[in-house]
Amino acid sequence: MLDDEQRAHILDGIRRDVPRALLVDVQQDFPIGAQQAEASVAVSTETTKGGVMLSRKRQSKAVGLVRHQVLDEIFEKAIVRNGGEFVSRVKVEFGSDQVRELPVYLTTGRFGGTLVGFASHRDADDAPVKNATRLALCSQNKGLDADLFRARESFTDRERFVVIMVQRDPFAIGKLASISVGVADTKVEQFIVLEKVEEFLAGYGASREAPKRGIALRSVTRSFKDTIAGTESDQAEG
């Protein structure tokens, strides 16, 4: 378990790297994207001659698939707009003396020493769906996992992966129940820290001062999809 000081240190480290404007964009635009996904499925039935009305279960699944693509587009544009770099590969440690670079197939931005992606979950405390890319990304959080044989590393000692978690509203297909900011453990089983985006944004003015990292950001105009052209994407969850 993290004590209050460790938790605050992690959250402050994220705020120092990740522009507040990025999360404001997500907070404002993701709900609109969810509405767009629901509308696109509904309109497809209404505007197609002889179109079939989907059952609620199938409609929810179809909207989920479209919603992921819409949110992915929104997130990609937000990364570019806020001066981030797209991440196509990350280094992963295998044992004490082996490091390999693995591909990243999910839209991920780098801001200073923090990598940022997004995922969906059914319940507010659920970890993101585990796949090869998420395991590679969450392996960057190794220094924050509980280990009885060593002290926790400082958040600013190495790159870390932050995931923006989106929870759909179980009662309204075109709405989101919550958006949260979290850091998951290396096994992608639970969150080391998790905070609602409203609470996280409110903490920007209260962050403690820390030495500047001296990492320059390089703006990009190329789409994340262009950086991984020719590779197969991990299956997107709804």
Side-chain angles (χ1 to χ4, degrees):
M1 290 290 292
L2 293 177
D3 59 33
D4 290 343
E5 184 176 356
Q6 290 171 323
R7 185 175 183 278
H9 188 64
I10 292 172
L11 295 175
D12 286 350
I14 299 171
R15 293 187 185 101
R16 283 192 292 269
D17 281 346
V18 179
R20 187 178 187 276
L22 174 78
L23 298 176
V24 171
D25 286 347
V26 166
Q27 184 187 36
Q28 293 177 347
D29 295 344
F30 272 23
I32 297 172
Q35 293 176 16
Q36 179 182 341
E38 190 276 332
S40 68
V41 173
V43 169
S44 71
T45 299
E46 298 167 0
T47 59
T48 303
K49 186 177 180 179
V52 177
M53 181 66 69
L54 297 175
S55 67
R56 180 177 174 81
K57 181 178 180 180
R58 289 191 174 93
Q59 182 187 18
S60 179
K61 185 174 182 179
V63 170
L65 293 171
V66 176
R67 181 174 60 239
H68 179 83
Q69 296 303 321
V70 174
L71 298 189
D72 199 39
E73 188 73 25
I74 291 171
F75 187 57
E76 185 177 286
K77 286 178 167 55
I79 290 172
V80 174
R81 188 163 54 246
N82 289 283
E85 294 181 88
F86 289 119
V87 178
S88 59
R89 305 184 72 83
V90 292
K91 292 182 179 180
V92 179
E93 296 178 13
F94 294 88
S96 58
D97 57 354
Q98 184 182 8
V99 177
R100 287 163 49 195
E101 278 199 345
L102 297 182
V104 171
Y105 296 119
L106 302 175
T107 303
T108 306
R110 177 185 283 109
F111 296 88
T114 302
L115 312 181
V116 186
F118 84 94
S120 63
H121 54 184
R122 183 181 299 274
D123 296 317
D125 295 328
D126 287 349
V129 172
K130 185 187 301 185
N131 55 35
T133 287
R134 292 247 170 75
L135 282 168
L137 288 167
C138 287
S139 72
Q140 310 303 305
N141 300 331
K142 182 178 179 181
L144 301 178
D145 273 351
D147 190 331
L148 297 176
F149 300 101
R150 61 169 169 75
R152 290 182 186 273
E153 297 177 17
S154 167
F155 185 87
T156 54
D157 280 348
R158 54 192 288 170
E159 287 189 337
R160 304 294 180 183
F161 175 59
V162 171
V163 60
I164 298 169
M165 297 302 304
V166 179
Q167 180 193 17
R168 72 172 181 83
D169 190 324
F171 305 108
I173 293 177
K175 294 184 178 180
L176 301 181
S178 70
I179 301 175
S180 303
V181 178
V183 176
D185 68 357
T186 54
K187 295 181 180 179
V188 200
E189 293 177 348
Q190 61 184 348
F191 286 102
I192 299 169
V193 295
L194 183 67
E195 199 166 84
K196 291 288 191 294
V197 69
E198 297 85 0
E199 299 171 3
F200 190 82
L201 286 170
Y204 267 83
S207 296
R208 296 171 294 182
E209 291 296 325
K212 294 190 179 297
R213 301 173 58 86
I215 298 178
L217 297 181
R218 176 172 55 85
S219 297
V220 295
T221 56
R222 186 169 55 172
S223 166
F224 173 75
K225 279 78 175 178
D226 295 337
T227 68
I228 57 171
T231 62
E232 294 184 355
S233 173
D234 285 315
Q235 183 176 4
E237 69 278 9

